[in-house]
């Protein structure tokens, strides 16, 4: 794979990026060809053109170039690219009350695939529905401020819009309070209306939420004692009209528990249980800023079918990826690894628009309110 990686460079970002270092000759040539020969012209003549570069957030120019849902037309929508063609309100009103197939595909950003000259929507599939190689439990690793929390917000917002709480429940371990705006959503409560969100401040808090999640899973098994759970079981239940909710477990900032032995062992046990229980509808997302062998058990890393590496410093990068690969410290920019394809560059979307954090926070709270009341 490393030969391929060395040969395939990401799509040059000449059209939209402000160059920070001198351009390479190849980049200058590409720039000139782009100017002289438009993509439309090339397409008309049946010629492959290099795909659009990934949009890059610039704090002072365009902090939110890529967002999950389209924005209000009054606000300079043309400069932003939305991943989903419909607004939240449209999806909520058109949402199928009786979906037959429980999909866990999330549009999380854009992926650059220079090897096939394409830029596509990045779809993360927590079920790996086209076979175990195409997805599975998601691990997001990245240094501080690389965009881990934002990726989780985008993911949870998508599920809250897509599913009613009867179809989707989520336990959230969130020491950074990044997902606190979601905590009143019915999706983050169990059937007894107890909270499935915790910051894990104390071991007791953490264990309480872990137990609630485990109980949902064991109640499900107890309800169907003869059921042989396979990859297709959930689809069968859903297609017969039995809406067995998808049970997501999000462990955010796992590294924060490293110095708390009881909490750490409970989290590792939970992660193992969830990854072992995918056939019964349990799914895992875990984020961390530390992922070396001494931090994350290797058998757990091996279970994570989808890995997103956001910005990492060079030493973490070579430890984790084992290859020389440059990375720019751009929030939400990183690499995707699934078992079925090479490492590709990605840009994650923001859950909502906003040129500052506080504006985005407000927009996110408003979006969550719409889901709560729908
Ligand atoms: N895809 C993105 N596009 C634009 N800005 C982003 C994107 N992802 C994150 N950001 C911005 O980058 C900053 C850091 O993001 P975030 O808090 O998600 O990082 P983090 O890795 O969770 O940080 P920490 O480890 O310190 O908690 C925030 O201001 C956020 O709004």
């Amino acid at each position: 794979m490393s030969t391929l990686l060395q040969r395939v460079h990401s799509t040059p970002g000449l059209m939209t990026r402000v160059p920070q270092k001198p351009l390479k000759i190849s980049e200058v040539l590409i720039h000139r060809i782009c100017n002289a020969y438009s993509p439309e012209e090339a397409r008309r003549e049946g010629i492959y053109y290099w795909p659009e570069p990934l949009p890059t957030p610039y704090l002072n120019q365009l902090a939110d170039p890529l967002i999950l849902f389209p924005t209000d037309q009054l606000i300079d929508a043309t400069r932003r690219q939305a991943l989903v063609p419909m607004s939240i309100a449209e999806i909520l009103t058109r949402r199928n009350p009786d979906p037959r197939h429980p999909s866990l595909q999330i549009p999380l950003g854009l992926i650059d695939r220079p090897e096939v000259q394409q830029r596509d929507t990045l779809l993360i599939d927590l079920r790996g529905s086209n076979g175990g190689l195409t997805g599975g439990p998601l691990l997001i690793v990245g240094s501080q401020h690389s965009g881990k929390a934002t990726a989780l917000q985008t993911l949870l917002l998508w599920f809250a819009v897509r599913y009613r709480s009867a179809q989707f429940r989520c336990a959230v371990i969130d020491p950074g309070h990044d997902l606190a705006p979601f905590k009143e959503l019915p999706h983050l409560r169990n059937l007894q209306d107890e909270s499935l969100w915790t910051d894990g401040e104390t071991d007791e808090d953490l264990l309480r939420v872990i137990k609630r999640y485990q109980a949902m899973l064991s109640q499900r098994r107890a309800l169907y004692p003869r059921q042989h759970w396979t990859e297709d079981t959930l689809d069968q239940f859903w297609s017969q009209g039995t809406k067995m909710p998808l049970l997501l477990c999000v462990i955010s900032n796992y590294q924060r528990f490293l110095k708390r032995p009881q909490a750490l062992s409970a989290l590792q046990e939970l992660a193992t249980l969830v990854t072992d229980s995918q056939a019964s509808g349990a799914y895992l997302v875990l984020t961390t800023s530390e992922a070396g062998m001494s931090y994350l058990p290797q058998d757990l890393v091996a279970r994570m079918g989808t890995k997103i590496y956001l910005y990492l410093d060079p030493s973490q990068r070579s430890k984790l990826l084992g290859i020389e690969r440059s990375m720019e410290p751009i929030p939400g920019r990183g690499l995707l690894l699934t078992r079925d394809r090479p490492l590709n560059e990605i840009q994650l979307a923001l859950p909502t628009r906003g040129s500052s954090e506080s504006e985005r926070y407000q927009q996110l709270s408003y979006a969550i309110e719409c889901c709560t009341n729908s």
Side-chain angles (χ1 to χ4, degrees), residues 55-59 62-66 108 141-154 176 178 252-253 255-256 287-289 310 330-333 347-351 354 356-357 360:
T56 299
Y58 286 112
L59 208 56
L62 188 57
D64 54 352
L66 184 61
L108 211 54
V141 189
S143 311
Q144 279 199 327
H145 309 305
S146 56
K148 302 180 295 298
T150 307
L152 291 182
Q153 291 170 346
T154 309
D178 304 304
S252 169
N253 279 307
Q255 82 284 350
R256 297 239 195 146
T287 72
T288 180
S289 59
L310 296 174
I330 297 170
R333 180 65 55 87
Q347 175 63 43
L348 300 183
L350 284 164
S356 67
E357 254 215 91
R360 291 201 280 273

Side-chain angles (χ1 to χ4, degrees), residues 83-248:
L83 287 178
V84 182
M86 280 186 281
S87 70
I88 293 183
E90 281 170 324
I91 299 188
L92 290 175
T93 47
R94 290 190 204 176
R95 195 159 59 169
N96 178 357
D98 192 21
R100 300 272 128 177
H101 176 70
S103 158
L104 276 167
Q105 277 198 344
I106 316 135
L108 211 54
L110 292 174
I111 180 162
D112 185 27
R113 299 173 64 213
E115 72 280 10
V116 286
Q117 297 180 319
Q118 271 183 35
R119 190 186 75 171
D120 297 327
T121 300
L122 165 66
L123 285 175
I124 296 296
D125 187 354
L126 298 182
R127 285 190 79 189
S129 18
N130 294 323
L133 297 181
T134 60
L138 170 63
L139 173 68
I140 304 180
V141 189
S143 311
Q144 279 199 327
H145 309 305
S146 56
K148 302 180 295 298
T150 307
L152 291 182
Q153 291 170 346
T154 309
L155 181 140
L156 272 194
L157 181 61
W158 171 252
F159 284 129
V161 173
R162 178 94 214 274
Y163 290 116
R164 290 168 199 278
S165 55
Q167 300 158 342
F168 176 86
R169 301 275 164 162
C170 181
V172 176
I173 291 142
D174 181 23
H177 287 232
D178 304 304
L179 301 171
F182 291 88
K183 76 180 181 189
E184 297 310 327
L185 266 181
H187 305 72
L188 269 68
R189 308 190 79 79
N190 65 9
L191 285 181
Q192 291 70 43
D193 201 28
E194 295 163 322
S195 177
L196 293 170
W197 179 92
T198 178
D199 59 8
E201 177 80 13
T202 64
D203 289 356
E204 291 70 37
D205 290 342
L206 180 69
L207 296 178
R208 194 175 309 119
V209 166
I210 292 180
K211 282 210 180 95
R212 286 177 189 159
Y213 182 86
Q214 287 167 333
M216 290 193 297
L217 207 49
S218 40
Q219 278 155 13
R220 164 168 305 185
R221 295 210 181 107
L223 205 58
Y224 301 95
R226 296 191 185 178
Q227 181 67 47
H228 172 58
W229 297 87
T230 68
E231 273 171 24
D232 303 323
T233 310
L234 216 65
D235 290 291
Q236 284 158 8
F237 275 113
W238 278 52
S239 62
Q240 289 155 9
T242 310
K243 290 293 162 282
M244 191 169 278
L246 304 158
L247 298 179
L248 181 66

